[in-house]
């Protein structure tokens, strides 16, 4: 079979944005708030928190606005707004009846304007805010679903440690110091990456500044120092981007180059650093594929150029992914290599089917098995008596072309042909299907492989698998 070389894949264009998120620096800038309502008071408090000099123009004030003016020493103009008020402002925010006039006056002098709850009269919008200043996260649904925006904010609030602001402030204070101490841009970037990883730990140090300098003084391994670059083998899971680990996402966000397999989903790649070069190095049984030696050579070449290479592998990097060969090649060349585990497809399939692979009433062990050898046929060195153990669940990877022979051999060793089996295709992906069968039915050819990635489970623990509706062709064939 012919081989194909690794090929660069351009990242997809940015999808259309309903709005462009931007951030205003309002430190010591004058801002007009027209109206004295509670809604206007909330906006005035946000603007004051951002460092603005807030002037409130209103003939009448709500209790909330009065309390805010008193407690924050805001300037009050005891009348309704006029165009002259807007001309002196950097921003204009209003809760006013004459929204069209307020909007037109601001537009006439080029002042960004927001009329509260009147999107047709807004040149900018307020979003939900997660405040870890100097880290500030803004969230907008463009007015489509404010409650959804609040739910997203709550998720981000839970994810970002309260100490994040302290770490960011320490980084700001240390930038000049680091630039003088570490002139090499690539080395500085590695330090910032280590710093960012430390910042996400829930336990904040007593002094982020001291922790930052300790990270700078942490020497890399001799192996990394000699090569300049490094390789991270990352398990991408079976397809669903939400099954990625946080550590995997961080690796993708810090990569210079990503070498990825055919089965990596677009949703997973979307989480990668935008500037990272992406190269397809796919290997699929029965298809034109990249040589493993070419992949190894490419990793070595890129790492020697001082790049952080992420080798993105479907499922878990250490299960049937030839990671051992890649690690050996990198070790022999003195390249620093790390491994980030991923969710292997057998576990994702069990989760989707809501079955325990080691249910104590049915199985006391589980085996992960490769369905084909280097030659693409059923491996010759299987422990068939061990595989035929009725108390073991078998999860067969890459077995679409050999499952019939596999089941025939099991039965030769006394395996019960009525034992339940399940065929999982496109595990964790939108098109996932699950087909119920038996070992005897698979041996008779009841299921035929198509082009989708497949995982086959065998064992009494799979008795509870609920099959989904099958395509008509497969329904006719699946007569267990």
């Amino acid at each position: 079979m012919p081989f194909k070389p690794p090929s660069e894949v351009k990242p997809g264009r940015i999808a259309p944005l309903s709005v462009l998120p931007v951030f205003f620096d309002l430190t010591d800038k004058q801002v007009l708030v027209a109206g004295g309502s509670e809604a206007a008071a909330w906006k005035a408090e946000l603007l004051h928190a951002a460092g603005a000099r807030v002037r409130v123009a209103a003939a009448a004030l709500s209790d909330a606005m009065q309390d805010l003016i008193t407690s924050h020493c805001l300037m009050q103009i005891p009348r309704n707004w006029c165009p002259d008020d807007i001309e002196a402002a950097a921003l204009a925010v209003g809760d006013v009846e004459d929204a069209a006039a307020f909007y037109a006056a601001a537009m006439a002098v080029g002042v960004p304007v927001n009329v509260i709850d009147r999107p047709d009269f807004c040149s900018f919008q307020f979003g939900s805010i997660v405040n870890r200043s100097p880290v500030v996260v803004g969230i907008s649904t463009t007015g489509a679903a404010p409650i959804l925006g609040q739910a997203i904010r709550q998720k981000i609030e839970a994810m970002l440690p309260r100490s994040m602001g302290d770490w960011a402030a320490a980084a700001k204070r240390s930038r000049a110091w680091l630039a003088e101490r570490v002139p090499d841009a690539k080395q500085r970037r590695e330090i910032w990456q280590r710093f960012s990883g430390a910042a996400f730990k829930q336990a904040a140090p007593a002094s982020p500044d001291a922790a930052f300098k300790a990270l700078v003084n942490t020497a890399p391994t001799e192996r990394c120092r000699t090569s300049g670059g490094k390789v991270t083998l990352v398990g991408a899971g079976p397809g669903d981007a939400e099954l990625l680990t946080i550590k995997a996402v961080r690796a993708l966000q810090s990569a210079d180059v990503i070498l990825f397999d055919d089965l990596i989903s677009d949703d997973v790649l979307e989480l990668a650093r935008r500037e990272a070069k992406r190269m397809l190095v796919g290997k699929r049984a029965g298809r034109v594929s990249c040589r493993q030696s070419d992949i190894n050579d490419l990793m070595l070449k890129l790492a020697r150029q001082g790049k952080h290479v992420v080798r993105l592998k479907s499922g878990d990097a250490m299960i049937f992914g030839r990671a051992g060969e890649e690690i050996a090649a990198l070790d022999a060349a003195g390249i620093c290599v790390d491994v980030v585990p991923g969710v292997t497809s057998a576990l994702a399939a069990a989760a989707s089917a809501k079955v325990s692979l080691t249910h104590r009433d049915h199985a006391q062990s589980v085996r992960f098995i490769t369905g084909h050898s280097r030659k693409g046929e059923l491996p010759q060195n299987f422990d068939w008596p061990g595989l035929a153990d009725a108390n073991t669940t078998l999860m067969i990877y890459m077995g679409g072309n050999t499952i019939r022979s596999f089941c025939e051999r099991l039965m030769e060793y006394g395996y019960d042909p009525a034992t339940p089996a399940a065929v999982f295709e496109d595990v964790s992906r939108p098109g996932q299907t699950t087909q119920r069968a038996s070992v005897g039915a698979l041996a008779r050819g009841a299921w035929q492989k198509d082009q989708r990635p497949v995982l086959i489970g065998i064992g009494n623990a799979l008795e509870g698998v609920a099959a989904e509706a099958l395509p008509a062709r497969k329904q006719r064939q699946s007569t267990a």
Side-chain angles (χ1 to χ4, degrees), residues 273-305:
R273 177 170 168 254
R274 199 75 193 168
E275 297 82 3
K277 179 183 289 188
R278 306 169 190 204
M279 303 191 72
L280 175 63
V281 293
K283 300 193 297 293
R284 295 284 299 276
R287 300 188 187 185
V288 177
S289 302
C290 295
R291 291 185 181 90
Q292 184 62 50
S293 58
D294 291 340
I295 299 173
N296 293 351
D297 291 344
L298 182 59
M299 285 192 296
L300 295 174
K301 175 184 175 182
L302 293 168
R304 285 169 174 155
Q305 293 173 357

Side-chain angles (χ1 to χ4, degrees), residues 243-388:
L243 294 180
L244 280 175
T245 65
I246 293 175
K247 196 169 185 179
V249 173
R250 290 178 185 163
L252 288 171
Q253 287 289 320
S254 66
D256 295 310
V257 184
I258 299 170
L259 310 182
F260 65 97
D261 288 342
D262 262 329
L263 296 179
I264 302 299
S265 69
D266 291 340
D267 288 344
V268 168
L269 289 173
E270 189 63 27
L271 297 173
R273 177 170 168 254
R274 199 75 193 168
E275 297 82 3
K277 179 183 289 188
R278 306 169 190 204
M279 303 191 72
L280 175 63
V281 293
K283 300 193 297 293
R284 295 284 299 276
R287 300 188 187 185
V288 177
S289 302
C290 295
R291 291 185 181 90
Q292 184 62 50
S293 58
D294 291 340
I295 299 173
N296 293 351
D297 291 344
L298 182 59
M299 285 192 296
L300 295 174
K301 175 184 175 182
L302 293 168
R304 285 169 174 155
Q305 293 173 357
K307 300 184 184 301
H308 178 198
V309 181
V310 165
R311 175 71 173 97
L312 193 58
K313 304 167 82 69
S314 182
D316 180 84
M318 310 300 276
I319 296 180
F320 302 130
R322 302 182 74 172
E325 299 170 45
E326 295 175 353
I327 292 171
L330 294 164
D331 276 340
I335 302 297
C336 184
V337 57
D338 293 318
V339 180
V340 178
V343 176
T344 190
S345 56
L347 304 184
S352 68
K354 298 181 178 62
V355 296
S356 169
L357 300 180
T358 54
H359 191 296
R360 63 182 181 178
D361 292 340
H362 301 296
Q364 283 67 57
S365 64
V366 59
R367 287 196 179 191
F368 297 162
I369 304 163
T370 178
H372 67 77
S373 65
R374 290 176 182 267
K375 298 179 181 180
E377 59 190 23
L378 198 65
Q380 299 301 307
N381 56 350
F382 276 157
D383 171 23
W384 289 107
L387 294 180

Side-chain angles (χ1 to χ4, degrees), residues 18 42 55 103 130 135 142 162 172 186 310 343 413 437 456:
S18 59
W42 169 234
R55 302 170 73 232
Y103 176 81
V130 177
V135 176
T142 324
R162 291 287 172 183
K172 183 177 181 179
K186 288 185 178 296
V310 165
V343 176
Y413 282 82
I456 301 165

Side-chain angles (χ1 to χ4, degrees), residues 21 24 30 126 271 308 342 400 415:
F24 290 120
Q30 185 170 290
F126 289 90
L271 297 173
H308 178 198
Y415 205 77

